Amino acid sequence: MWLKPEEVLLKNALKLWVTQKSSCYFVLQRRRGHGEGGGRLTGRLVGALDAVLDSSARVAPFRILLQVPGSQVYSPIACGATLEEINQHWDWLEQNLLHTLSVFDNKDDIASFVKGKVKALIAEETSSRLAEQEEEPEKFREALVKFEARFNFPEAEKLVTYYSCCCWKGRVPRQGWLYLSINHLCFYSFFLGKELKLVIPWVDIQKLERTANVFLTDTIRITTQNKERDFSTFLNLDEVFKIMEQLADVTLRRLLDNEVFDLDPDLQEPSQITKRDLEARAQNEFFRAFFRLPRKERLHAVVDCSLWTPFSRCHTVGRMFTSDSYICFASREDGCCNVVLPLREVVSIEKMEDTSLLPNPIIVSIRSKMAFQFIELKDRENLVEGLLVRLKQVHANHPVHYDSSPSDDDMTSPVFYSTSMCSDKFGDLEMVSSQSSEEREKDKSPLPHPEPLTAVFQQSGSQSPDSRLSREQIKISLWNDHFVEYGRTVCMFRTEKIRKLVAMGIPESLRGRLWLLFSDAVTDLASHPGYYGNLVEQSLGRCCLVTEEIERDLHRSLPEHPAFQNETGIAALRRVLTAYAHRNPKIGYCQSMNILTSVLLLYAKEEEAFWLLVAVCERMLPDYFNHRVIGAQVDQSVFEELIREHLPELAEHMNDLSALASISLSWFLTLFLSIMPLESAVNVVDCFFYDGIKAIFQLGLAVLEANAEELCGSKDDGQALMILSRFLDHIKNEDSPGPPIGSHHAFFSDDQEPYPVTDIADLIRDSYEKFGNQSVEQIEHLRCKHRIRVLQGHEDTTKQNVLRVVIPEVSILPEDLDELYDLFKRAHMMSCYWEHPKPMALRHDPSRPYAEQYRIDARQFAHLFQLVSPWTCGVHTEILAERTFRLLDDNMDQLMEFKAFVSCLDVMYNGEMNEKIKLLYRLHIPPALTENDRDSQSPLKNPLLSTSRPLVLGDTIDYQKQLKQMIKDLAKEKDKTEKELPKMSQREFIQFCKTLYSMFHEDPEENELYQAIATVTTLLLQIGEVGQRSSSSGSCSQECGEELQASAPSPEQDSVFAETGKTPQDPGAFPEAGEGDWTVSLEHILASLLTEQSLVNFFEKPLNIKSKLENAKLHQYSLKALEMSHPPQPELKLNNL
């Protein structure tokens, strides 16, 4: 165990310890008298001394000391009762600390660092034990208090767990605490007087991996857009990394991939996520992936046990998995024996008598008159009780109907009852077909007898049919022997023997039914009688974009096969694809589904083919067939890593493996069906249904290995494509009873030189022998790792496309736009982190156009406006932000896109003066300014301008001529196509003046600006009064100038509101009676402002957005946290950060 470091002086100490091993900084010692076979006097004396001491005072026989070179002071940091225990501590120090200490120059720093690390390890061990025993939640509460105090997050940011570790800053480690919350990874360190805080949102992480640096053999590296961070010296690095992976995966999929992500019920609310939930989720995902079960299946218990396996006449050690609808078993030795027992097939679960030979046994009996004996089950009572409850529920939801009708083959089993029960429905399905009556007559004959299309369109081989048929009969005989020994239903024992039979190729007559068993589609088929027929009735005859795509691809599906040269096959394909699109509108229809479904229809009945398609799209190839094919891209990225691992020479030659990935994408999407002769590709599909995606990975590696030499000699991607296409085109199946069917890639072959033929059975066997060691757990781990990279790749693509559209339209520099996009996206994300669930319109929607994927609401916009807008107006800033949002929200959906946000900022920072004034003008007329504007009805809180002294306008006649000419020039230059802005009323003008006044506050030229705006305001008030009195409806611009010249006030009378003698503090300063007629136009305001040089200088001075962006990055979180902690008091928000 680790010890709290305390200094000891060994110079004059008794020789009570013997040094076993030492290094520059550490010494491992053994207590004299411990483990010595001889009888040395010193050893016996020390042993006697230890023996007479009571248990609390006895000394552990092994210890590790910290020694600083040149110092006589040592510090014990660990002790152990056995040599193995102390060696574990020694190994940990060598791997995690020894190389690190060389970076320190000061000896005191070395001692401080090691002592701090050991203390942190002690604290973590204590908290881990307490967490396991659940005795003292105070420790976690203490960590939570520190987390909240150090990072100032809102209460909604839930802490999941925390660890002691080092964060590397260059070559220097910083000892501290790592906090993992639902949305962020945080690190805090206070070491040698220096404080370090790191906050990394999970959605910003682009890569999460275990790696090694110069000093440490094992670290966790966090890669974001701009930085890499290494964390090391964890007490249990495996546990930390798994928790990190789970948190990153959950958060990224929740926030970036909600198109298809369906969280577990326990994780629907992020604030409820705990460390235990994450561990359970990881185990649940492994369980579903290993046995290829539905996504909704929830794991209840995992218990160690042994299963009686009659074929080996012994009990096989493994684990039992129990879930909502299944009992599953996996042997400890990979591939030795697996069993899947749907509760629907279970008849009874009984406890047997407990004996020494059969401890804690239970018997699970199934409908096909088989029984499975499990022994050595811990907590058997609760396990059986839970199983019986779920068994009763499953049978209540899906009553079992036994089918006693005779069967025509060796695959007789009640499991297949649903097929025969529903077979009479296929005659009715034809009645709802959207074809003409003539076409229906063509299809009517085969539909009352739904059979696999290969049974309807039998083909005879042209070469040695007898030998092929004999090989087929041998295979059938081998399978029948296997069924007798291992079972013939979905509950069969799945062993290495069955894998070898599958690799040889499933016989044509058994293929469809074994696909149903291996994928467990047979359970869905049996549980949903009539479901497919109802879907067909509801879907056929409807016309939409999906059905148009399906119709377009129908005749492209295996056009070389006679079954799809006939309307019977085309009609069946149409029904299956349309029914599935109706069942799962999120997927609808994707290209490559037609090819896969065509092959399923060749070997399975129509309803069976539908449920096989369901199993493939929703369980076996998750997220493959959707808008962004995320699942396929993830597997391509995994495939690239497997190439680097297993074929390093090829990976080294192909600098960019993404080229190979683009070639291999169709391998995964169509399971090699589109690029390999059909009679060979179906053997690949056999392996896929038995082993899942693992079969495609290993076969892809085998194909690349077979062509590695030629690929290494290829000069470009095109040549590599030719090499692989020609190889795949010449893969034959010598055992196929039917004739070869033309390949899609026949045009690649060279007729002049015969290309060597590869037998598919040999290729599959090689793939298992050379690359079959990848476990499901490893593949799922790689998928989790690469899903982060793929999702972030989509985010980068979205960002680049948005910026590509925006950059030509604004004057803001591209690097500044890049940072603005990050701030805009972060504002959206922070709302998702801490605010209540919002309508889907507010969430990230990857299916929308790039520019519309991230949108912000009025509150988020107000935060960004305060941070990056140059028009900060003190407490008035929030009101101005609200008006700006209303102005930019063209479609009134209460959401704003990035382009509108940036366009507005571009005017504020880079616009000409007239553009800025026009924007300000529009912010003070409808729709930006509303009747219910919270500030529009209030009196001005500050004087609009100083009234302590009279204003002198100077040469009135010259000024009026200049103003008149400006108005005329502006009218001429105005774009004829531009819609004329409405004139501003007196109430709106008051708000306009108030905004200008607020903008000038704290400006270096504040007094001059106030004086100038006072002058301009006086003139505009007089222009409005002239317009109010005028009865003419002609051009206001010209008449205002003439009237203003005739009624210009004398210098003695000129002061603000001279006629009423009231200041703007009085709401009665502006007469209400004629307010509806008092107006000024944009041209009036702009021309008036142009007369004052100080105002012109203010609006034309260059503005630097970079300082605002830097400030925004520092304060965006704190502003949001402050708002979340004080929601009723908006005046406390930071307005001038």
PDB file of all heavy atoms in Angstrom, residues 696-722:
ATOM      1  N   ILE A 696     -16.448  -9.448 -42.612  1.00  0.00           N
ATOM      2  CA  ILE A 696     -16.138  -8.527 -43.707  1.00  0.00           C
ATOM      3  C   ILE A 696     -14.762  -7.899 -43.491  1.00  0.00           C
ATOM      4  O   ILE A 696     -13.990  -7.735 -44.438  1.00  0.00           O
ATOM      5  CB  ILE A 696     -17.228  -7.450 -43.822  1.00  0.00           C
ATOM      6  CG1 ILE A 696     -18.621  -8.097 -43.919  1.00  0.00           C
ATOM      7  CG2 ILE A 696     -16.988  -6.563 -45.042  1.00  0.00           C
ATOM      8  CD1 ILE A 696     -18.787  -9.026 -45.095  1.00  0.00           C
ATOM      9  N   PHE A 697     -14.455  -7.541 -42.254  1.00  0.00           N
ATOM     10  CA  PHE A 697     -13.125  -6.981 -41.963  1.00  0.00           C
ATOM     11  C   PHE A 697     -12.024  -7.972 -42.363  1.00  0.00           C
ATOM     12  O   PHE A 697     -11.068  -7.618 -43.051  1.00  0.00           O
ATOM     13  CB  PHE A 697     -12.994  -6.656 -40.475  1.00  0.00           C
ATOM     14  CG  PHE A 697     -13.625  -5.360 -40.079  1.00  0.00           C
ATOM     15  CD1 PHE A 697     -14.593  -5.309 -39.084  1.00  0.00           C
ATOM     16  CD2 PHE A 697     -13.239  -4.165 -40.663  1.00  0.00           C
ATOM     17  CE1 PHE A 697     -15.178  -4.107 -38.710  1.00  0.00           C
ATOM     18  CE2 PHE A 697     -13.815  -2.960 -40.293  1.00  0.00           C
ATOM     19  CZ  PHE A 697     -14.785  -2.935 -39.315  1.00  0.00           C
ATOM     20  N   GLN A 698     -12.165  -9.226 -41.910  1.00  0.00           N
ATOM     21  CA  GLN A 698     -11.074 -10.171 -42.146  1.00  0.00           C
ATOM     22  C   GLN A 698     -10.994 -10.575 -43.623  1.00  0.00           C
ATOM     23  O   GLN A 698      -9.903 -10.789 -44.159  1.00  0.00           O
ATOM     24  CB  GLN A 698     -11.219 -11.393 -41.247  1.00  0.00           C
ATOM     25  CG  GLN A 698     -12.464 -12.227 -41.473  1.00  0.00           C
ATOM     26  CD  GLN A 698     -12.699 -13.222 -40.342  1.00  0.00           C
ATOM     27  OE1 GLN A 698     -12.376 -12.952 -39.191  1.00  0.00           O
ATOM     28  NE2 GLN A 698     -13.271 -14.373 -40.686  1.00  0.00           N
ATOM     29  N   LEU A 699     -12.131 -10.631 -44.310  1.00  0.00           N
ATOM     30  CA  LEU A 699     -12.080 -10.946 -45.733  1.00  0.00           C
ATOM     31  C   LEU A 699     -11.453  -9.789 -46.512  1.00  0.00           C
ATOM     32  O   LEU A 699     -10.677 -10.009 -47.461  1.00  0.00           O
ATOM     33  CB  LEU A 699     -13.481 -11.244 -46.269  1.00  0.00           C
ATOM     34  CG  LEU A 699     -13.525 -11.755 -47.707  1.00  0.00           C
ATOM     35  CD1 LEU A 699     -12.867 -13.125 -47.812  1.00  0.00           C
ATOM     36  CD2 LEU A 699     -14.945 -11.814 -48.244  1.00  0.00           C
ATOM     37  N   GLY A 700     -11.767  -8.552 -46.120  1.00  0.00           N
ATOM     38  CA  GLY A 700     -11.144  -7.401 -46.767  1.00  0.00           C
ATOM     39  C   GLY A 700      -9.633  -7.419 -46.610  1.00  0.00           C
ATOM     40  O   GLY A 700      -8.886  -7.130 -47.557  1.00  0.00           O
ATOM     41  N   LEU A 701      -9.171  -7.773 -45.412  1.00  0.00           N
ATOM     42  CA  LEU A 701      -7.725  -7.869 -45.188  1.00  0.00           C
ATOM     43  C   LEU A 701      -7.116  -8.988 -46.036  1.00  0.00           C
ATOM     44  O   LEU A 701      -6.007  -8.845 -46.575  1.00  0.00           O
ATOM     45  CB  LEU A 701      -7.442  -8.124 -43.703  1.00  0.00           C
ATOM     46  CG  LEU A 701      -7.736  -6.958 -42.751  1.00  0.00           C
ATOM     47  CD1 LEU A 701      -7.622  -7.420 -41.297  1.00  0.00           C
ATOM     48  CD2 LEU A 701      -6.800  -5.792 -43.009  1.00  0.00           C
ATOM     49  N   ALA A 702      -7.830 -10.109 -46.176  1.00  0.00           N
ATOM     50  CA  ALA A 702      -7.322 -11.218 -46.984  1.00  0.00           C
ATOM     51  C   ALA A 702      -7.212 -10.826 -48.454  1.00  0.00           C
ATOM     52  O   ALA A 702      -6.250 -11.199 -49.139  1.00  0.00           O
ATOM     53  CB  ALA A 702      -8.238 -12.442 -46.823  1.00  0.00           C
ATOM     54  N   VAL A 703      -8.182 -10.062 -48.946  1.00  0.00           N
ATOM     55  CA  VAL A 703      -8.133  -9.588 -50.334  1.00  0.00           C
ATOM     56  C   VAL A 703      -6.925  -8.677 -50.538  1.00  0.00           C
ATOM     57  O   VAL A 703      -6.187  -8.797 -51.525  1.00  0.00           O
ATOM     58  CB  VAL A 703      -9.443  -8.854 -50.701  1.00  0.00           C
ATOM     59  CG1 VAL A 703      -9.301  -8.129 -52.032  1.00  0.00           C
ATOM     60  CG2 VAL A 703     -10.604  -9.840 -50.756  1.00  0.00           C
ATOM     61  N   LEU A 704      -6.705  -7.765 -49.604  1.00  0.00           N
ATOM     62  CA  LEU A 704      -5.567  -6.852 -49.735  1.00  0.00           C
ATOM     63  C   LEU A 704      -4.246  -7.604 -49.630  1.00  0.00           C
ATOM     64  O   LEU A 704      -3.287  -7.300 -50.348  1.00  0.00           O
ATOM     65  CB  LEU A 704      -5.645  -5.767 -48.664  1.00  0.00           C
ATOM     66  CG  LEU A 704      -6.808  -4.773 -48.796  1.00  0.00           C
ATOM     67  CD1 LEU A 704      -6.768  -3.764 -47.650  1.00  0.00           C
ATOM     68  CD2 LEU A 704      -6.767  -4.040 -50.129  1.00  0.00           C
ATOM     69  N   GLU A 705      -4.181  -8.591 -48.735  1.00  0.00           N
ATOM     70  CA  GLU A 705      -2.939  -9.337 -48.585  1.00  0.00           C
ATOM     71  C   GLU A 705      -2.622 -10.137 -49.855  1.00  0.00           C
ATOM     72  O   GLU A 705      -1.466 -10.224 -50.294  1.00  0.00           O
ATOM     73  CB  GLU A 705      -3.036 -10.284 -47.392  1.00  0.00           C
ATOM     74  CG  GLU A 705      -1.701 -10.878 -47.015  1.00  0.00           C
ATOM     75  CD  GLU A 705      -1.791 -12.349 -46.619  1.00  0.00           C
ATOM     76  OE1 GLU A 705      -2.747 -13.018 -47.041  1.00  0.00           O
ATOM     77  OE2 GLU A 705      -0.904 -12.816 -45.923  1.00  0.00           O
ATOM     78  N   ALA A 706      -3.658 -10.697 -50.478  1.00  0.00           N
ATOM     79  CA  ALA A 706      -3.452 -11.469 -51.701  1.00  0.00           C
ATOM     80  C   ALA A 706      -2.934 -10.599 -52.838  1.00  0.00           C
ATOM     81  O   ALA A 706      -2.293 -11.104 -53.770  1.00  0.00           O
ATOM     82  CB  ALA A 706      -4.757 -12.157 -52.106  1.00  0.00           C
ATOM     83  N   ASN A 707      -3.225  -9.304 -52.770  1.00  0.00           N
ATOM     84  CA  ASN A 707      -2.804  -8.388 -53.827  1.00  0.00           C
ATOM     85  C   ASN A 707      -1.768  -7.381 -53.351  1.00  0.00           C
ATOM     86  O   ASN A 707      -1.520  -6.374 -54.026  1.00  0.00           O
ATOM     87  CB  ASN A 707      -4.022  -7.635 -54.376  1.00  0.00           C
ATOM     88  CG  ASN A 707      -5.006  -8.548 -55.072  1.00  0.00           C
ATOM     89  OD1 ASN A 707      -4.885  -8.829 -56.258  1.00  0.00           O
ATOM     90  ND2 ASN A 707      -6.003  -9.012 -54.319  1.00  0.00           N
ATOM     91  N   ALA A 708      -1.174  -7.638 -52.170  1.00  0.00           N
ATOM     92  CA  ALA A 708      -0.280  -6.644 -51.570  1.00  0.00           C
ATOM     93  C   ALA A 708       0.903  -6.316 -52.469  1.00  0.00           C
ATOM     94  O   ALA A 708       1.290  -5.147 -52.610  1.00  0.00           O
ATOM     95  CB  ALA A 708       0.199  -7.144 -50.204  1.00  0.00           C
ATOM     96  N   GLU A 709       1.493  -7.334 -53.093  1.00  0.00           N
ATOM     97  CA  GLU A 709       2.683  -7.097 -53.917  1.00  0.00           C
ATOM     98  C   GLU A 709       2.356  -6.200 -55.103  1.00  0.00           C
ATOM     99  O   GLU A 709       3.084  -5.249 -55.402  1.00  0.00           O
ATOM    100  CB  GLU A 709       3.245  -8.441 -54.397  1.00  0.00           C
ATOM    101  CG  GLU A 709       4.580  -8.307 -55.123  1.00  0.00           C
ATOM    102  CD  GLU A 709       5.167  -9.655 -55.475  1.00  0.00           C
ATOM    103  OE1 GLU A 709       4.708 -10.679 -54.925  1.00  0.00           O
ATOM    104  OE2 GLU A 709       6.084  -9.683 -56.317  1.00  0.00           O
ATOM    105  N   GLU A 710       1.235  -6.492 -55.776  1.00  0.00           N
ATOM    106  CA  GLU A 710       0.846  -5.660 -56.916  1.00  0.00           C
ATOM    107  C   GLU A 710       0.453  -4.251 -56.465  1.00  0.00           C
ATOM    108  O   GLU A 710       0.773  -3.262 -57.131  1.00  0.00           O
ATOM    109  CB  GLU A 710      -0.317  -6.300 -57.664  1.00  0.00           C
ATOM    110  CG  GLU A 710       0.062  -7.526 -58.470  1.00  0.00           C
ATOM    111  CD  GLU A 710      -1.096  -7.986 -59.348  1.00  0.00           C
ATOM    112  OE1 GLU A 710      -1.391  -7.319 -60.349  1.00  0.00           O
ATOM    113  OE2 GLU A 710      -1.715  -9.009 -58.998  1.00  0.00           O
ATOM    114  N   LEU A 711      -0.252  -4.164 -55.331  1.00  0.00           N
ATOM    115  CA  LEU A 711      -0.668  -2.843 -54.834  1.00  0.00           C
ATOM    116  C   LEU A 711       0.544  -1.999 -54.471  1.00  0.00           C
ATOM    117  O   LEU A 711       0.539  -0.781 -54.675  1.00  0.00           O
ATOM    118  CB  LEU A 711      -1.589  -3.008 -53.627  1.00  0.00           C
ATOM    119  CG  LEU A 711      -2.998  -3.539 -53.909  1.00  0.00           C
ATOM    120  CD1 LEU A 711      -3.738  -3.839 -52.609  1.00  0.00           C
ATOM    121  CD2 LEU A 711      -3.798  -2.550 -54.750  1.00  0.00           C
ATOM    122  N   CYS A 712       1.568  -2.623 -53.901  1.00  0.00           N
ATOM    123  CA  CYS A 712       2.778  -1.866 -53.562  1.00  0.00           C
ATOM    124  C   CYS A 712       3.483  -1.359 -54.820  1.00  0.00           C
ATOM    125  O   CYS A 712       4.229  -0.370 -54.767  1.00  0.00           O
ATOM    126  CB  CYS A 712       3.739  -2.734 -52.742  1.00  0.00           C
ATOM    127  SG  CYS A 712       3.178  -3.015 -51.039  1.00  0.00           S
ATOM    128  N   GLY A 713       3.242  -2.014 -55.934  1.00  0.00           N
ATOM    129  CA  GLY A 713       3.836  -1.559 -57.186  1.00  0.00           C
ATOM    130  C   GLY A 713       2.952  -0.618 -57.975  1.00  0.00           C
ATOM    131  O   GLY A 713       3.372  -0.113 -59.027  1.00  0.00           O
ATOM    132  N   SER A 714       1.738  -0.373 -57.497  1.00  0.00           N
ATOM    133  CA  SER A 714       0.826   0.524 -58.224  1.00  0.00           C
ATOM    134  C   SER A 714       1.286   1.962 -58.119  1.00  0.00           C
ATOM    135  O   SER A 714       1.887   2.377 -57.131  1.00  0.00           O
ATOM    136  CB  SER A 714      -0.595   0.381 -57.672  1.00  0.00           C
ATOM    137  OG  SER A 714      -0.638   0.780 -56.315  1.00  0.00           O
ATOM    138  N   LYS A 715       0.996   2.726 -59.155  1.00  0.00           N
ATOM    139  CA  LYS A 715       1.468   4.110 -59.223  1.00  0.00           C
ATOM    140  C   LYS A 715       0.414   5.107 -58.755  1.00  0.00           C
ATOM    141  O   LYS A 715       0.746   6.215 -58.344  1.00  0.00           O
ATOM    142  CB  LYS A 715       1.885   4.442 -60.653  1.00  0.00           C
ATOM    143  CG  LYS A 715       3.030   3.578 -61.162  1.00  0.00           C
ATOM    144  CD  LYS A 715       3.363   3.901 -62.607  1.00  0.00           C
ATOM    145  CE  LYS A 715       4.505   3.014 -63.125  1.00  0.00           C
ATOM    146  NZ  LYS A 715       4.818   3.296 -64.544  1.00  0.00           N
ATOM    147  N   ASP A 716      -0.848   4.740 -58.846  1.00  0.00           N
ATOM    148  CA  ASP A 716      -1.903   5.684 -58.441  1.00  0.00           C
ATOM    149  C   ASP A 716      -3.130   4.897 -57.997  1.00  0.00           C
ATOM    150  O   ASP A 716      -3.174   3.670 -58.067  1.00  0.00           O
ATOM    151  CB  ASP A 716      -2.254   6.647 -59.582  1.00  0.00           C
ATOM    152  CG  ASP A 716      -2.582   5.908 -60.882  1.00  0.00           C
ATOM    153  OD1 ASP A 716      -3.208   4.830 -60.806  1.00  0.00           O
ATOM    154  OD2 ASP A 716      -2.201   6.398 -61.967  1.00  0.00           O
ATOM    155  N   ASP A 717      -4.132   5.635 -57.556  1.00  0.00           N
ATOM    156  CA  ASP A 717      -5.350   5.008 -57.041  1.00  0.00           C
ATOM    157  C   ASP A 717      -6.099   4.261 -58.132  1.00  0.00           C
ATOM    158  O   ASP A 717      -6.712   3.221 -57.876  1.00  0.00           O
ATOM    159  CB  ASP A 717      -6.267   6.081 -56.429  1.00  0.00           C
ATOM    160  CG  ASP A 717      -5.608   6.773 -55.251  1.00  0.00           C
ATOM    161  OD1 ASP A 717      -4.614   6.232 -54.729  1.00  0.00           O
ATOM    162  OD2 ASP A 717      -6.082   7.868 -54.865  1.00  0.00           O
ATOM    163  N   GLY A 718      -6.057   4.793 -59.346  1.00  0.00           N
ATOM    164  CA  GLY A 718      -6.758   4.136 -60.445  1.00  0.00           C
ATOM    165  C   GLY A 718      -6.199   2.750 -60.724  1.00  0.00           C
ATOM    166  O   GLY A 718      -6.950   1.801 -60.957  1.00  0.00           O
ATOM    167  N   GLN A 719      -4.885   2.635 -60.682  1.00  0.00           N
ATOM    168  CA  GLN A 719      -4.273   1.334 -60.917  1.00  0.00           C
ATOM    169  C   GLN A 719      -4.591   0.369 -59.786  1.00  0.00           C
ATOM    170  O   GLN A 719      -4.832  -0.825 -60.008  1.00  0.00           O
ATOM    171  CB  GLN A 719      -2.754   1.491 -61.071  1.00  0.00           C
ATOM    172  CG  GLN A 719      -2.049   0.220 -61.528  1.00  0.00           C
ATOM    173  CD  GLN A 719      -0.568   0.438 -61.772  1.00  0.00           C
ATOM    174  OE1 GLN A 719      -0.073   1.566 -61.668  1.00  0.00           O
ATOM    175  NE2 GLN A 719       0.157  -0.626 -62.066  1.00  0.00           N
ATOM    176  N   ALA A 720      -4.606   0.874 -58.546  1.00  0.00           N
ATOM    177  CA  ALA A 720      -4.979   0.034 -57.403  1.00  0.00           C
ATOM    178  C   ALA A 720      -6.404  -0.473 -57.549  1.00  0.00           C
ATOM    179  O   ALA A 720      -6.697  -1.653 -57.259  1.00  0.00           O
ATOM    180  CB  ALA A 720      -4.815   0.824 -56.108  1.00  0.00           C
ATOM    181  N   LEU A 721      -7.296   0.385 -58.017  1.00  0.00           N
ATOM    182  CA  LEU A 721      -8.688  -0.023 -58.241  1.00  0.00           C
ATOM    183  C   LEU A 721      -8.771  -1.119 -59.294  1.00  0.00           C
ATOM    184  O   LEU A 721      -9.512  -2.101 -59.140  1.00  0.00           O
ATOM    185  CB  LEU A 721      -9.516   1.190 -58.657  1.00  0.00           C
ATOM    186  CG  LEU A 721     -10.967   0.923 -59.064  1.00  0.00           C
ATOM    187  CD1 LEU A 721     -11.746   0.339 -57.898  1.00  0.00           C
ATOM    188  CD2 LEU A 721     -11.634   2.195 -59.562  1.00  0.00           C
ATOM    189  N   MET A 722      -7.994  -0.986 -60.375  1.00  0.00           N
ATOM    190  CA  MET A 722      -7.989  -2.007 -61.429  1.00  0.00           C
ATOM    191  C   MET A 722      -7.506  -3.350 -60.893  1.00  0.00           C
ATOM    192  O   MET A 722      -8.081  -4.406 -61.188  1.00  0.00           O
ATOM    193  CB  MET A 722      -7.078  -1.543 -62.569  1.00  0.00           C
ATOM    194  CG  MET A 722      -7.605  -0.375 -63.362  1.00  0.00           C
ATOM    195  SD  MET A 722      -8.884  -0.859 -64.510  1.00  0.00           S
ATOM    196  CE  MET A 722      -7.924  -1.761 -65.720  1.00  0.00           C
TER     197      MET A 722
END
